[in-house]
Amino acid sequence: MQNKTMDANKGRQYDFKFMLVLLCVLGGLLKITLSFPMSGSYGGVENQWYVSPALFPLVLLILLILCCLSLLVTAIKQGGAQEFLSISGWLGNKDNQQVRERWLIIALLIAYVYVYIPSTDFYLATGLFVSTLTSVFYLKLARAKSVVIVLNSMAVLGLILIRSSLNQDPSLSLLDINANDQSILWCDVFTTCVLASIISWQALMTNKLNRSQFGIQLIAVLIVPLLLIIAFSFLLFVPMPVEYGSVINVLNWLAYEQLGL
Amino acid sequence: MIEQFTHFFSILINLISSPTNIIILFVASFLGIIFGAMPGLTATLGVALLTALTYSLGADTALLGLLGMYVGAIYGGSYPAILINIPGTPAAAATAMDGYPLTQKGLAGKALGLTTTASFIGTIIGLLFLVTLSPLIASLALQFTSWEFFLLALLGIILSGSLTSPDLVVKGWIAGLIGLLLATIGRDALQFFPRYTFDVPELDSGLEIVPVLIGAFGIPQVIRALTNTHHVKPPIFTGSILPELKSITRNIKHIFRSATIGVGVGAVPGVGEDIAGWVSYSTAKKTSSKAQQAEFGKGSETAIVSSETANNACVGGALIPLLTLGIPGSPPAAMLLGALLLHGITPGPSIEIDHPNFLLEVTAIMVLASFAMWANGLLLAKQVIKVLQLPTALFIPVVGVLCILGAYALNLNMFSLYLMIPIGIVAFLLGEMKFPISPMVIGLVLGGMADESLRRALLLSEGSFMPIFERPVALLLVLVMTVFILAQFSWFKRLFSFEGKK
């Protein structure tokens, strides 16, 4: 019963913070919306308030602000304003293992989509992503979280460094896919090294008891991504997010030049 | 009528005459059962990922796969619910209450047989409602003006927000309104004015529904499934699964009632199969004899049959508003809407005019999907259980990769990937704060229709809101909405309880 009350109290604290953030965002959106043409002429069309592109967003923003204020008041009434300034109140309890693991997965997803995929071969990027997750959650190796955080931070920094130093056009942002052959090659080499480090570390850390687990995990890390690429690229004819990289090039050479697909 | 039947059978024969179709149907149905059975995977995610894979296929073949997956996944959730007391999907939560006690008594085969046949019958009854009600609703909807469509979209958000919120109802409404607001991103349909595009050209055409849905349902699943501290023991099952026709006959009245409940709940926008299962379970308990009531929670076959019939009948129910009004009845139906749009089919009142016999085609596909589910359930149950032995932490990272590939594959645009991740993270955080995700998704799907309908209606009435009060359907929708909103206030509840006591 006491736990339930504590959970409800914690929930209201999150509601209070989220409503404050949402109200700030809605305020910003309201400002933008008020700059939309309300009446007068736009694109050669004589505008009336009821056909204005601002009408529907304004209705929604007003309704949302009202709902948010109602939830904010409920949250304040139920003690939601407590721990407003504590960082753990915003990001979750840092001593809670589950909370830390969830932030780790979010960070990995961000690294995978925004850094690994646009920089390096899709197979290598996927292998790195999968092996990191299986080290922590499947093999559950000792000090796995610290090791994967260090290795992935190195990978992110290394790839950014390689791309920014070899990129001929500095105006290109990191989110644009890698267009420089030399940069792609070096990114592939670097990612292979990080992936190899993770797998070697896994091999060193697994004892005789979980050797079979390590073997199964290797299938998920090395074979499954390869099968996915083959299925998508050559059977369903759906290209990968990036169509460059050493492994993809070898597969293309095999499929198109050797097998004549 | 005879002509309709002849046409239905010709579509059916046409579909099964292609070996590719048969393979796709059975594989999709089997995959659906696995998606439903694997804790951490859901029917919505399965339909979302399959949408990417079936993109290059013809519309009817793609639909065959998608509906096979949908029906299979809703049924598949009952496997872990019965064998290890952990529902594979929320839809099977009610089934676990009585399915697991049967397993403890050594009757897992009987429980699985009951769910297989009840799910099959539920799907078929849902389908009968779909085929009889859809043309009626569609012809009624043809009389609707922009006001009715605007109000329907708003009602969908309010109903879905009110019924799916695990905490305060206002959280469901906030989620729905956020969804509607997300739908306004991009150039508006009437004047082509860029709204909230922040000079990003990729946002000009608005948010792509499929990557957003994959993000909203897939990413939170990946995060939660990997960090779930609950230890899931692998299911063990020996024996055989039989159709249990005698038990089904004994519970025939419960089956028909549960199917009707399932269809009714399914037709409410955004309300999914889980609610259908629970409503049907409690109704079956209330309407059973005292001796039967005492069995509930201890392995009652009535309870299993009721919840499983209802959750599968819900599939047909969810398709009724989807096909006739363009309003999805459940999260997987929202995903299905995205898939139909990708194949150039826009569901709505004019569907039979734009695509003649489309309803018959869906009916034929649903018959095949339910048959494939039944056959897979009876023949391949042991294989499904073998797949269930796979540890979650091993396949969930691969599901994460599939989400990435699925989001990219539909429009081959990296921006979809870049968009999917923040949407997924926000959806995860919202879920953690007990905001329901379904109203947000329904809002995103219905936002465009609501926006256009409101402005078109006001354009025709020259800015007057009076037509709402002159049109009976519009007035009814406003009244229902008002009652639903007022019902959240304690003074309104008190007023009515006071009146009641007097």
Side-chain angles (χ1 to χ4, degrees):
Chain A
M1 185 72 182
Q2 206 178 2
N3 277 350
K4 235 180 176 177
T5 321
M6 268 174 66
D7 282 352
N9 195 22
K10 204 85 198 151
R12 292 297 162 256
Q13 287 176 15
Y14 284 125
D15 289 345
F16 177 75
K17 284 160 195 149
F18 178 56
M19 283 308 107
L20 285 184
V21 173
L22 192 58
L23 280 169
C24 290
V25 173
L26 293 175
L29 290 177
L30 194 64
K31 197 180 161 209
I32 296 171
T33 311
L34 290 173
S35 70
F36 293 172
M38 300 288 201
S39 57
S41 172
Y42 174 73
V45 179
E46 202 53 44
N47 226 347
Q48 297 290 340
W49 67 268
Y50 46 81
V51 283
S52 162
L55 177 69
F56 189 59
L58 271 179
V59 171
L60 294 178
L61 286 170
I62 292 166
L63 289 175
L64 258 172
I65 289 171
L66 287 175
C67 288
C68 288
L69 286 175
S70 145
L71 186 53
L72 193 71
V73 171
T74 312
I76 292 170
K77 276 184 189 165
Q78 296 177 18
Q82 292 162 10
E83 290 187 36
F84 175 64
L85 295 173
S86 106
I87 291 175
S88 69
W90 284 85
L91 299 174
N93 184 2
K94 66 177 169 38
D95 297 326
N96 184 326
Q97 193 189 339
Q98 196 184 37
V99 171
R100 285 203 309 265
E101 285 175 353
R102 287 179 167 186
W103 283 115
L104 173 70
I105 298 170
I106 290 173
L108 274 171
L109 279 166
I110 292 171
Y112 178 47
V113 171
Y114 296 104
V115 183
Y116 299 165
I117 292 178
S119 306
T120 187
D121 185 283
F122 184 74
Y123 171 77
L124 296 172
T126 303
L128 183 56
F129 173 72
V130 176
S131 64
T132 304
L133 287 175
T134 48
S135 302
V136 180
F137 299 103
Y138 177 62
L139 295 173
K140 292 182 179 165
L141 299 172
R143 291 185 292 114
K145 268 172 257 168
S146 323
V147 174
V148 296
I149 288 171
V150 170
L151 286 172
N152 278 278
S153 306
M154 272 170 55
V156 169
L157 290 173
L159 290 173
I160 292 173
L161 203 69
I162 292 170
R163 287 193 62 185
S164 41
S165 58
L166 293 175
N167 211 337
Q168 284 155 348
D169 182 0
S171 67
L172 288 174
S173 79
L174 192 71
L175 291 182
D176 289 324
I177 55 171
N178 206 343
N180 182 316
D181 286 345
Q182 219 187 351
S183 165
I184 293 168
L185 180 68
W186 282 110
C187 284
D188 284 359
V189 171
F190 184 71
T191 314
T192 311
C193 292
V194 180
L195 179 60
S197 313
I198 291 188
I199 293 173
S200 319
W201 167 73
Q202 286 175 343
L204 281 173
M205 294 298 287
T206 44
N207 52 32
K208 275 183 188 168
L209 286 174
N210 48 18
R211 274 283 153 195
S212 65
Q213 251 189 318
F214 174 66
I216 295 168
Q217 184 258 177
L218 272 188
I219 297 174
V221 173
L222 301 176
I223 311 289
V224 174
L226 201 64
L227 292 177
L228 283 179
I229 292 171
I230 292 170
F232 271 78
S233 296
F234 306 115
L235 298 177
L236 297 163
F237 301 108
V238 176
M240 294 292 103
V242 289
E243 280 288 299
Y244 51 68
S246 316
V247 181
I248 300 266
N249 283 344
V250 171
L251 286 176
N252 283 340
W253 172 78
L254 267 175
Y256 298 119
E257 289 186 29
Q258 300 303 308
L259 299 171
L261 288 177
Chain B
M1 189 73 176
I2 293 167
E3 194 189 332
Q4 291 279 78
F5 263 106
T6 322
H7 202 81
F8 168 76
F9 282 110
S10 78
I11 292 171
L12 202 67
I13 290 164
N14 196 23
L15 283 169
I16 55 173
S17 61
S18 155
T20 320
N21 280 353
I22 299 285
I23 293 168
I24 286 174
L25 174 69
F26 276 86
V27 170
S29 170
F30 183 71
L31 282 176
I33 297 173
I34 287 174
F35 260 80
M38 286 277 200
L41 301 181
T42 59
T44 315
L45 185 59
V47 177
L49 295 177
L50 200 66
T51 302
L53 293 177
T54 53
Y55 181 46
S56 54
L57 303 174
D60 27 340
T61 313
L63 210 53
L64 199 66
L66 293 169
L67 284 173
M69 166 71 90
Y70 185 6
V71 173
I74 297 301
Y75 155 72
S78 64
Y79 275 74
I82 288 168
L83 298 172
I84 50 175
N85 203 20
I86 294 171
T89 54
T95 310
M97 296 280 288
D98 285 78
Y100 188 62
L102 274 185
T103 300
Q104 286 177 313
K105 290 176 190 170
L107 297 169
K110 179 183 176 165
L112 286 172
L114 278 172
T115 57
T116 309
T117 310
S119 297
F120 174 71
I121 297 173
T123 314
I124 294 292
I125 298 178
L127 180 66
L128 289 175
F129 275 97
L130 172 73
V131 78
T132 30
L133 292 181
S134 291
L136 294 174
I137 296 172
S139 60
L140 181 72
L142 277 174
Q143 317 295 319
F144 286 3
T145 62
S146 300
W147 281 115
E148 280 87 358
F149 280 107
F150 167 67
L151 292 168
L152 266 174
L154 225 51
L155 181 69
I157 296 301
I158 288 168
L159 287 184
S160 140
S162 308
L163 298 173
T164 60
S165 182
D167 191 11
L168 301 170
V169 167
V170 72
K171 288 187 168 182
W173 296 347
I174 290 174
L177 290 168
I178 290 175
L180 287 175
L181 196 64
L182 285 175
T184 62
I185 294 175
R187 288 189 178 267
D188 88 283
L190 293 189
Q191 294 183 14
F192 218 53
F193 183 81
R195 296 185 295 195
Y196 315 121
T197 53
F198 306 102
D199 292 327
V200 178
E202 285 90 348
L203 285 177
D204 270 359
S205 54
L207 298 183
E208 291 283 344
I209 288 179
V210 177
V212 171
L213 292 196
I214 293 180
F217 287 105
I219 300 298
Q221 282 301 119
V222 169
I223 299 171
R224 287 199 190 103
L226 281 174
T227 54
N228 190 1
T229 47
H230 192 91
H231 178 70
V232 181
K233 55 182 180 190
I236 300 161
F237 170 69
T238 49
S240 55
I241 297 172
L242 298 167
E244 297 294 333
L245 293 174
K246 275 187 185 166
S247 305
I248 294 290
T249 322
R250 269 201 300 274
N251 288 291
I252 201 77
K253 70 170 185 184
H254 291 290
I255 285 179
F256 280 104
R257 192 192 315 104
S258 303
T260 315
I261 291 171
V263 171
V265 173
V268 178
V271 181
E273 292 77 9
D274 45 342
I275 294 177
W278 281 118
V279 173
S280 172
Y281 182 92
S282 59
T283 313
K285 192 173 178 182
K286 274 182 207 156
T287 53
S288 295
S289 65
K290 284 243 162 97
Q292 279 179 324
Q293 275 183 10
E295 273 299 298
F296 272 66
K298 295 173 189 163
S300 157
E301 59 182 39
T302 306
I304 296 174
V305 163
S306 302
S307 64
E308 279 300 308
T309 307
N311 66 27
N312 266 71
C314 202
V315 176
L319 291 180
I320 296 173
L322 173 73
L323 296 176
T324 56
L325 304 167
I327 298 173
S330 67
M335 199 55 248
L336 214 55
L337 173 65
L340 287 173
L341 293 173
L342 281 173
H343 286 280
I345 299 164
T346 310
S350 58
I351 189 134
E352 277 297 284
I353 302 162
D354 299 337
H355 302 275
N357 296 315
F358 185 71
L359 285 174
L360 279 181
E361 208 171 294
V362 172
T363 311
I365 290 171
M366 282 286 283
V367 168
L368 294 175
S370 47
F371 179 75
M373 176 216 78
W374 188 66
N376 274 335
L378 291 180
L379 303 172
L380 298 175
K382 283 187 181 166
Q383 275 61 37
V384 174
I385 291 160
K386 270 184 199 160
V387 178
L388 279 178
Q389 315 274 339
L390 265 178
T392 312
L394 192 65
F395 71 81
I396 285 289
V398 179
V399 172
V401 177
L402 280 172
C403 287
I404 305 279
L405 285 175
Y408 176 78
L410 293 167
N411 56 2
L412 307 181
N413 188 348
M414 280 296 276
F415 188 74
S416 299
L417 283 191
Y418 298 154
L419 189 74
M420 186 193 82
I421 294 295
I423 297 250
I425 295 169
V426 170
F428 166 71
L429 295 175
L430 284 176
E432 289 301 293
M433 288 185 285
K434 294 189 177 166
F435 282 81
I437 299 303
S438 310
M440 191 174 87
V441 168
I442 302 290
L444 177 69
V445 170
L446 298 182
M449 178 178 101
D451 182 15
E452 270 183 65
S453 303
L454 172 67
R455 287 194 285 159
R456 194 165 289 141
L458 284 170
L459 186 68
L460 290 172
S461 66
E462 293 183 345
S464 165
F465 285 88
M466 281 314 285
I468 294 181
F469 304 99
E470 291 160 5
R471 299 187 61 83
V473 177
L475 195 61
L476 182 73
L477 292 172
V478 171
L479 281 175
V480 174
M481 248 189 293
T482 315
V483 170
F484 246 87
I485 294 167
L486 290 178
Q488 308 312 320
F489 294 98
S490 48
W491 60 264
F492 187 80
K493 284 179 199 163
R494 270 200 305 272
L495 190 76
F496 275 85
S497 60
F498 176 72
E499 292 286 323
K501 275 174 196 165
K502 239 167 78 168

